[in-house]
Amino acid sequence: MTDSTPTVVLVHGAFADASSFARVVPELLADGLKVLVPAVPNRSLTGDAAYIASVVRAVPGPVVLVGHSYGGAVITVAGVEDNVKGLVFLAGYALEEGESLGELQGRFPDSDLASALVYTPFPVEGSDEPGTDVTVEIDKFPAIFAADVDPELAKVLAVSQRPLAGAAFGEAAPAAAWKTKPSWGLVSSSDHTINPDVERFGYERAGMTTTEVDSSHLVMLTHPKKVADLIREAVRSVSA
């Protein structure tokens, strides 16, 4: 690997954490790639994107940003950083500038996720008004989020969700990095968390190189080699 070989920064989504990339990271490290998997605050789209952008700026040299699910929306915004050379979306939201998650989802029929969400107030520092955390009903999580994941692991994931603040759904993306950066998209065609047509629409609109995998939402855990291959393709392309 040369100094021009990008660092791969993996950005997790809602209801998950950095461990959702646990099977992809060894694949990339075995290639000699540098990898970072930061914890996303999951508090607001602009705030989360600003945090990931700060992580990216601290990386010496080029970066390929990879976003899963809500992480796709985060990299859509954070990806405008100068050293980001490519974007990879995994079962993710590729927002248009000025578009929110809710607006993009609203174009299509609801997935099974919509009827399984749980809303819980949480204290907001410096405010008398609580925020709202959004999670997935624990007993419905495996079928909706992780249908083809080992059932024992799916149970663990269900009780260790990283909530997403409800405010993130209504926030408009202030930028769309795919307009100026080469981008790749993976559709999980058996996704019950995001309607696969939401993924396809965003990718096609962005003119991405797109691949489809017959997978649940957690494609990184069920098809790590296919995910790693797509990331490798992006790394090779931006390194050429």
Side-chain angles (χ1 to χ4, degrees):
M1 297 293 162
T2 68
D3 289 342
S4 63
T5 303
T7 297
V8 178
V9 178
L10 303 168
V11 180
H12 68 78
F15 323 129
D17 58 26
S19 68
S20 56
F21 288 105
R23 296 189 67 195
V24 172
V25 170
E27 294 268 339
L28 302 177
L29 292 178
D31 289 350
L33 289 168
K34 291 170 284 188
V35 181
L36 277 178
V37 197
V40 184
N42 283 5
R43 297 294 81 185
S44 73
L45 177 57
T46 51
D48 295 339
Y51 175 73
I52 293 301
S54 75
V55 171
V56 166
R57 284 195 300 274
V59 174
V63 165
V64 167
L65 262 182
V66 181
H68 174 246
S69 188
Y70 167 69
V74 174
I75 71 168
T76 295
V77 180
V80 298
E81 289 298 314
D82 289 344
N83 59 330
V84 174
K85 302 305 178 187
L87 306 167
V88 180
F89 292 76
L90 306 173
Y93 295 103
L95 299 179
E96 174 61 278
E97 187 174 344
E99 183 178 55
S100 70
L101 291 173
E103 285 171 339
L104 176 54
Q105 289 218 127
R107 297 169 182 257
F108 299 90
D110 282 343
S111 69
D112 293 342
L113 177 70
S115 60
L117 295 174
V118 178
Y119 302 92
T120 309
F122 69 89
V124 176
E125 189 176 356
S127 173
D128 295 333
E129 292 294 315
T132 302
D133 261 342
V134 184
T135 52
V136 184
E137 286 182 43
I138 288 172
D139 60 340
K140 293 182 178 178
F141 182 98
I144 291 173
F145 215 75
D148 49 0
V149 173
D150 175 85
E152 294 306 307
L153 175 57
K155 289 177 187 174
V156 173
L157 299 173
V159 299
S160 54
Q161 296 176 51
R162 190 178 185 107
L164 178 65
F169 288 98
E171 252 184 292
W178 48 259
K179 292 187 170 184
T180 56
K181 311 284 171 102
S183 303
W184 290 258
L186 184 150
V187 175
S188 289
S189 59
S190 296
D191 202 330
H192 290 272
T193 300
I194 301 176
N195 181 334
D197 284 338
V198 173
E199 302 166 20
R200 292 184 186 107
F201 173 81
Y203 300 167
E204 288 168 12
R205 177 173 63 181
M208 291 186 200
T209 303
T210 302
T211 185
E212 300 222 2
V213 177
D214 183 11
S215 173
S216 73
H217 193 55
L218 284 174
V219 65
M220 312 88 70
L221 287 174
T222 57
H223 298 277
K225 291 193 184 317
K226 289 182 178 178
V227 169
D229 282 344
L230 185 63
I231 296 169
R232 290 176 181 123
E233 181 184 331
V235 167
R236 279 195 301 270
S237 177
V238 304
S239 301

